[in-house]
């Protein structure tokens, strides 16, 4: 912690400076332990005697800065030496000071960079000494001339250290200082370029073969003054030209000015979302590909899931989902890593959280973000679309986005079984449900409001202005009201809370929902719905409407259930075995079909190749999951020239269906302690194998079509009980161990 250090600032010109704050101190003898605590308003890297401290990127991380700011603690004992020592912090604008939200808006949380550091030295004789930021620190600039997350970095290797005089003592920021509680961002994967392309426009472009978030590292020796400028893009346009319009106002460009020595070029305080890199400026006629590598950065999460099946397109989809997660789990769950957004959108996180927790260990990662949700939840329980809040983005209080407050803690509890985490989140969950309850105008429905709807669903004419799909938002909001109340009750029961009032509330919501939204067993527009009040086409019966009613159990009786299912299947078939769902309907669609006995239809959709479908993008060479089903259309044109991300993880959530239904791993109790094992094999895939590390050991399930029938295999870790249900066989209970069963093909 900090005892005497003082906040410092630097008075430097320019919009995106990277000041280096430094002090020197003598050490007559080496300490037995040296601990550095550091933080910044902005982002920083610390150095001791010129050596980088640690390997984490973008410290202190992004939290809800008005409330809290993390600091990091490092053991730097090995970096000190007898005699003169130097301690430095180089900083950049990062999230707090830099461009954020819209590519041309800066200073969202603060208008200048600040740093705070304290080095605590402990000597063998028991004495201690503290070297903290104070008026003796000096400010320098060095070769990093400017840096921004969205716009990239400019580095001039010819710039030696320029002194700018003493650092200025500054007022502390309003945020409370807290120890780092996140997962450090690090370089996680390195990808070599696959080809050098010369585009029809005559531009030289490197293809790394993998869309990702990170940066290019280039080892190069040029002449003094030679320039290298790299622009980044996710895709080429239909003519094969470099395409950057979908980055919107983010410039995503790194520039290096060489000094005649061999240099390793990469940005320290910026990252890009890209697969292709254009050499805007490059000093040589020939390009040696072996000098370039694409470095993926991500919160350093432990991989827990493994998956493969007999269809290489689905295996590619799986890889795309992993890459979507890697690219968007950079300190907090974001929507996309490339354009001038990269924000903590609640809806996207809610949709993907279950898949995320299968792929990687994400409890600590989400804990930090959920703590920010709690802090940014309004007194009345409302939550905006984006956390941490960013002016001008995520300004709606929307169903399925705000519901992240309930769904994420519940899903994480089911994945990891941490009751303390659930307890901490419980007040937030409750406040969200209470907020929705207070909305009205009908007591048990959420009518009106300003929602994101079934975002990007294909059943409404999408345009840059209209993206909410055709499902009525009143139905979506009221259905989520019921669902969040259901999960809140489950959470309350785990925690031993008295949930009787919420049970009664749920009964009332269900009754009101049924009366308002179902007639003759099918969804209708809510009485009083005013078509003139909206600029989009709103339909009573949509795939998403039926999916929500079935998945959240909002129908009454067997006849209604069957009618809804039949209608859903008919709508899918009439649409050429294709879905029309968006962010809200898609994550549940295949679950609903499988749960109600139509796994065959779920597989039809899963294996569909025409848009909207998962494999459409795979067949077009996607290496990540797209924001729009038809981000690039059949004819090669773009869905939209601008708002068109090729690295959104949301639809990758289909892998919670793959695990839960195809492999059939359905947790009945948290942390996979109790399971329903009910695989749904499909001959079209030939085989499927999937596993997840549970913390107690590996849980794996596989099925293979063989000439003798379907062979099922399972391995259950210690302290696990499963009920096995195979097609056409009576259930069996089993405990830890390895199993093989046979079933009919
Ligand atoms: C983001 C999202 C988000 C949506 C909300 C988009 O700009 O990229 O994925 O959920 O806005 O409407």
């Amino acid at each position: 912690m900090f005892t005497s250090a003082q906040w410092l600032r630097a008075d430097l010109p320019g919009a995106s400076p990277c000041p280096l704050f430094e002090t020197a101190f003598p050490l007559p003898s080496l300490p037995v332990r040296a601990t550095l605590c550091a933080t910044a308003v902005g982002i920083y890297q610390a150095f001791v005697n010129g050596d980088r401290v640690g390997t984490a990127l973008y410290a202190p991380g992004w939290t809800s800065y008005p409330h809290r700011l993390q600091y990091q603690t490092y053991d730097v004992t090995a970096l000190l030496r007898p005699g003169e020592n130097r301690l430095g912090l180089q900083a950049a604008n990062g999230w707090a000071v830099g461009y954020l939200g819209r590519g041309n808006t800066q200073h969202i949380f603060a208008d200048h960079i600040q740093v705070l550091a304290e080095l605590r030295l402990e000597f063998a004789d028991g004495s201690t000494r503290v070297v903290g930021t104070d008026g003796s620190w000096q400010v320098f600039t060095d070769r990093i001339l400017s840096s921004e997350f969205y716009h990239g970095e400019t580095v001039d290797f010819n710039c030696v250290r320029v002194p700018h005089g003493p650092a200025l003592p500054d007022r502390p920021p309003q945020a409370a200082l807290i120890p780092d509680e996140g997962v450090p961002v690090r370089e996680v994967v390195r990808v070599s370029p696959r080809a050098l392309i010369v585009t029809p426009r005559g531009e030289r472009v490197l293809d790394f073969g993998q869309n990702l978030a990170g940066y290019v590292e280039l080892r190069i020796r040029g002449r003094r003054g030679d320039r290298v400028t790299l622009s980044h893009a996710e895709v080429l346009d239909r003519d094969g030209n470099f395409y950057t319009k979908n980055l919107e106002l983010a410039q995503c460009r790194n520039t290096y000015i060489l000094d005649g020595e061999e240099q390793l070029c990469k940005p320290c305080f910026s990252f890009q979302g890209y697969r292709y890199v254009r050499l805007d400026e490059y000093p040589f006629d020939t390009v040696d590909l072996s000098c370039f590598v694409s470095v993926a950065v991500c919160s350093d999460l432990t991989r827990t899931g493994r998956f493969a099946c007999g269809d290489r397109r689905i295996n590619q989809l799986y890889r795309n989902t992993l890459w979507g997660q890697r690219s968007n789990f950079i300190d907090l769950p974001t929507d996309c890593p490339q354009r001038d957004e990269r924000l903590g959108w609640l809806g996207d996180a809610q949709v993907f959280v279950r898949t995320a927790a299968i792929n990687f260990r994400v409890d600590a990662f989400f804990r930090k973000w959920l703590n920010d949700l709690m802090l940014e939840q309004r007194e009345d329980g409302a939550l905006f679309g984006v956390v941490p809040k960013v002016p001008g983005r995520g300004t709606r209080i929307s169903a399925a986005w705000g519901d992240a407050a309930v769904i994420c803690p519940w899903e994480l509890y089911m994945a990891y079984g941490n009751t303390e985490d659930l307890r901490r989140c419980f007040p937030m969950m409750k406040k969200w449900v209470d907020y929705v309850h207070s909305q009205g105008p009908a007591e048990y429905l959420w009518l009106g409001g300003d929602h994101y709807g079934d975002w990007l669903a294909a059943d409404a004419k999408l345009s840059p202005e209209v993206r909410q799909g055709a499902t009525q938002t009143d139905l979506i909001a009221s259905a989520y009201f019921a669902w969040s109340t259901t999960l809140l009750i489950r959470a309350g029961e785990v925690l031993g809370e008295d949930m009787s009032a919420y049970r009664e509330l749920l009964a009332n919501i269900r009754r009101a929902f049924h009366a308002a939204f179902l007639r003759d067993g099918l969804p209708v527009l809510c009485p009083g719905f005013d078509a003139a009040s909206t600029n989009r086409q709103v339909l009573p019966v949509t795939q998403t409407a039926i999916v929500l009613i079935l998945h959240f159990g909002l129908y009454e009786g067997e006849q209604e259930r069957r009618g809804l299912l039949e209608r859903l299947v008919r709508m899918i078939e009439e649409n050429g075995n294709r879905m029309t769902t968006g962010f809200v309907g898609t994550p549940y669609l295949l679950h609903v079909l499988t749960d109600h006995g139509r796994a065959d239809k779920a597989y039809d959709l899963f294996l569909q190749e025409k848009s909207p479908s998962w494999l459409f993008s795979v067949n077009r060479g996607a290496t990540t999951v797209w924001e729009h089903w038809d981000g690039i259309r059949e004819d090669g044109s773009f869905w939209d020239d601008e708002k068109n991300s090729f690295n959104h993880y949301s639809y990758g959530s289909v892998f919670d269906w793959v695990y839960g239904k195809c492999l059939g791993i359905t947790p009945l109790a948290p942390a996979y302690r109790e399971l329903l094992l009910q695989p749904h094999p499909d001959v079209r895939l030939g085989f499927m194998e999937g596993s997840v590390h549970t913390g107690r050991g590996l849980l794996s399930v596989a099925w293979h079509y063989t000439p003798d029938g379907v062979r099922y295999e399972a391995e259950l870790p210690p302290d696990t009980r499963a009920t096995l249900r195979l097609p056409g066989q009576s259930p069996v209970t089993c405990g830890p161990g390895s199993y093989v069963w046979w079933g009919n093909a």
Side-chain angles (χ1 to χ4, degrees):
M1 223 350 220
F2 302 92
T3 55
S4 59
Q6 243 184 325
W7 281 93
L8 298 178
R9 64 177 289 176
D11 237 348
L12 291 181
S16 314
C18 296
L20 172 63
F21 298 83
E22 207 179 76
T23 194
F25 57 96
L27 269 186
S29 65
L30 280 178
V32 286
R33 185 161 42 206
T35 312
L36 174 68
C37 288
T39 187
V41 173
I43 50 178
Y44 75 92
Q45 293 185 354
F47 296 86
V48 172
N49 296 320
D51 287 331
R52 172 87 196 278
V53 175
T55 51
L57 296 164
Y58 320 133
W62 191 6
T63 44
S64 177
Y65 293 133
H67 299 281
R68 60 202 201 120
L69 178 64
Q70 299 184 123
Y71 65 87
Q72 285 70 37
T73 304
Y74 313 89
D75 181 347
V76 296
T77 319
L79 299 179
L80 295 169
R81 55 190 182 215
E84 185 84 344
N85 283 268
R86 281 181 299 129
L87 170 62
L89 249 66
Q90 186 157 32
N93 281 350
W95 296 284
V97 189
Y99 293 93
L100 197 64
R102 299 253 177 239
N104 54 4
T105 322
Q106 222 190 356
H107 299 165
I108 276 165
F109 300 103
D111 64 6
H112 63 274
I113 291 168
Q114 295 178 271
V115 295
L116 180 73
E118 192 165 299
L119 175 65
R120 185 182 159 82
L121 305 165
E122 295 168 56
F123 296 91
D125 63 3
S127 64
T128 59
R129 190 179 147 196
V130 165
V131 178
T133 36
D134 63 19
S136 74
W137 286 53
Q138 301 291 312
V139 176
F140 300 87
T141 46
D142 71 351
R143 56 201 194 184
I144 307 179
L145 303 186
S146 68
S147 193
E148 288 285 346
F149 277 135
Y150 290 168
H151 301 321
E153 197 160 300
T154 300
V155 178
D156 185 346
F157 289 100
N158 302 289
C159 286
V160 280
R161 289 150 54 93
V162 181
H164 293 269
L168 309 171
D170 205 1
R171 278 216 314 268
Q174 67 179 98
L177 287 181
I178 56 155
D180 195 329
E181 61 181 30
V183 180
V185 178
R186 295 210 166 89
E187 296 184 349
V188 291
V189 183
R190 298 169 75 80
V191 180
S192 297
R194 200 195 259 180
L196 174 71
I197 301 168
V198 179
T199 66
R201 256 189 229 126
E203 296 168 331
R204 289 188 290 179
V205 170
L206 296 175
D207 176 7
F208 286 92
Q210 178 61 57
N211 199 16
L212 54 78
Y215 39 73
V216 169
E217 192 184 278
L218 164 65
R219 192 171 285 285
I220 188 171
R221 180 202 289 266
R223 284 155 313 199
R224 195 181 161 84
D226 276 351
R227 293 170 66 94
V228 175
T229 297
L230 307 178
S231 284
H232 300 72
E234 291 189 288
V235 292
L236 304 179
D237 70 11
R238 70 166 128 184
D239 302 322
N241 282 315
F242 197 70
Y243 183 77
T244 56
K245 260 200 191 151
N246 70 325
L247 305 176
E248 302 200 69
L249 296 174
Q251 288 164 21
C252 307
R253 187 177 301 127
N254 297 326
T255 296
Y256 307 96
I257 302 155
L258 306 177
D259 65 349
E261 303 294 320
E262 181 177 285
Q263 294 293 355
L264 186 68
C265 307
K266 62 175 172 180
C268 291
F269 298 111
S270 183
F271 68 87
Q272 290 78 41
Y274 65 98
R275 165 176 168 169
Y276 298 94
V277 171
R278 184 177 61 197
L279 308 180
D280 294 347
E281 297 182 287
Y282 195 70
F284 306 118
D285 292 335
T286 52
V287 178
D288 179 358
L289 289 188
S290 69
C291 300
F292 292 85
V293 61
S294 176
V295 182
V297 304
C298 179
S299 285
D300 199 357
L301 305 166
T302 306
R303 176 94 177 267
T304 45
R306 301 275 161 191
F307 171 85
C309 72
D311 185 322
R312 54 173 188 82
R313 300 164 308 167
I314 300 297
N315 293 337
Q316 181 64 44
L317 178 66
Y318 175 66
R319 281 194 291 276
N320 295 0
T321 301
L322 290 177
W323 275 108
Q325 183 165 355
R326 278 194 197 106
S327 312
N328 283 296
F329 276 45
I330 297 179
D331 203 45
L332 50 85
T334 60
D335 55 335
C336 57
Q338 73 299 90
R339 66 184 177 218
D340 55 354
E341 205 152 358
R342 316 184 189 183
L343 306 176
W345 279 99
L346 272 63
D348 307 46
Q350 171 274 107
V351 161
F352 191 70
V353 60
R354 195 188 289 185
T355 300
I358 293 169
N359 293 341
F360 292 92
R361 172 128 205 186
V362 294
D363 49 349
F365 177 84
F366 268 101
R367 190 176 301 128
K368 162 176 166 286
W369 185 65
L370 288 172
N371 284 341
D372 285 323
L373 252 72
M374 288 182 228
L375 289 166
E376 295 204 347
Q377 186 172 34
R378 233 168 46 184
E379 208 34 58
D380 63 359
L383 272 160
F384 290 96
V386 155
V387 170
K389 208 181 278 170
V390 168
R393 294 277 195 185
T395 50
R396 299 182 203 179
I397 302 169
S398 170
W401 271 251
D403 290 283
V406 179
I407 294 171
C408 290
W410 178 254
E411 288 296 341
L412 292 161
Y413 171 69
M414 284 306 286
Y416 302 110
N418 186 328
T419 318
E420 269 327 294
D421 280 347
L422 188 65
R423 192 183 308 284
R424 239 193 16 267
C425 291
F426 188 69
M428 163 172 72
M429 301 164 80
K430 201 156 127 190
K431 270 170 78 178
W432 171 254
V433 169
D434 292 345
Y435 170 79
V436 177
H437 188 188
S438 74
Q439 290 311 290
E443 192 182 350
Y444 301 114
L445 300 173
W446 189 1
L447 308 179
D450 188 12
H451 301 275
Y452 296 112
D454 189 16
W455 191 246
L456 304 181
D459 50 8
K461 268 225 159 329
L462 289 178
S463 73
E465 290 74 43
V466 179
R467 290 155 194 246
Q468 288 113 315
T471 307
Q472 43 181 334
T473 54
D474 293 337
L475 182 146
I476 295 175
S478 301
Y480 267 91
F481 181 20
W483 186 233
S484 277
T485 307
T486 306
L487 298 184
L488 177 70
I489 293 168
R490 286 184 201 166
E493 284 167 353
V494 169
L495 299 172
E497 299 279 334
D498 173 10
M499 298 310 286
S500 47
Y502 288 94
R503 264 183 232 111
E504 198 181 314
L505 173 64
L506 180 59
N508 285 322
I509 300 169
R510 295 169 60 93
R511 218 171 293 125
F513 184 94
H514 199 270
F517 294 108
L518 277 142
R519 192 143 329 118
D520 302 324
L522 284 178
V524 287
L525 293 179
C526 181
F529 173 76
D530 174 16
S533 68
T534 166
N535 59 348
R536 71 196 169 101
Q537 183 189 22
V538 176
L539 300 171
V541 186
T542 62
Q543 293 182 14
T544 290
I546 298 180
V547 163
L548 294 186
I549 293 169
L550 285 172
H551 196 64
F552 297 161
L554 298 168
Y555 54 88
E556 277 173 14
E558 176 55 18
Q559 199 186 337
E560 214 167 271
R561 185 192 72 82
R562 213 168 325 114
L564 286 162
L565 179 69
E566 275 165 19
R567 183 61 180 265
L568 176 63
V569 170
R570 191 154 18 105
M571 288 175 87
I572 292 168
E573 286 174 347
E574 283 168 3
N575 195 37
N577 263 341
R578 282 178 305 160
M579 59 195 160
T580 53
T581 47
F583 272 37
V584 162
T586 306
Y588 302 135
L589 175 60
L590 305 196
H591 281 287
V592 162
L593 289 166
T594 314
D595 289 342
H596 294 275
R598 294 306 306 266
D600 60 323
K601 272 290 139 211
Y603 273 105
D604 284 351
L605 294 177
F606 191 47
L607 295 171
Q608 173 62 254
E609 296 188 285
K610 288 216 175 77
S611 175
S613 75
W614 285 274
L615 291 186
F616 178 76
S617 64
V618 170
N619 286 345
R620 294 206 62 88
T623 58
T624 36
V625 177
W626 293 354
E627 175 181 30
H628 301 274
W629 291 122
D630 53 352
I632 302 174
R633 298 203 192 92
E634 206 104 45
D635 65 2
S637 63
F638 292 117
W639 177 84
D640 181 62
D641 272 353
E642 284 163 18
K643 202 97 186 151
N644 202 355
S645 149
F646 296 95
N647 205 350
H648 255 60
Y649 54 57
S650 306
Y651 292 142
S653 62
V654 71
F655 274 89
D656 76 48
W657 170 77
V658 172
Y659 267 75
K661 300 289 149 63
C662 303
L663 291 165
I665 305 173
T666 303
L668 300 177
Y672 301 95
R673 288 209 147 76
E674 211 177 309
L675 302 170
L676 172 65
L677 274 190
Q678 188 173 11
H680 290 86
D682 191 291
V683 68
R684 285 171 280 185
L685 293 186
F687 78 91
M688 191 180 276
E689 304 170 343
S691 64
V692 59
H693 259 284
T694 63
R696 303 185 307 284
L698 194 71
L699 164 64
S700 70
V701 173
W703 45 257
H704 291 251
Y705 280 80
T706 78
D708 306 320
V710 186
R711 192 179 77 241
Y712 297 91
E713 288 164 31
E715 195 178 318
L716 305 181
D719 193 15
T720 303
R721 230 190 33 223
T723 304
L724 174 79
R725 280 175 190 278
L726 292 182
Q729 302 186 17
S730 31
V732 195
T733 1
C734 40
S738 301
Y739 300 88
V740 176
W741 300 282
W742 286 90
N744 295 329

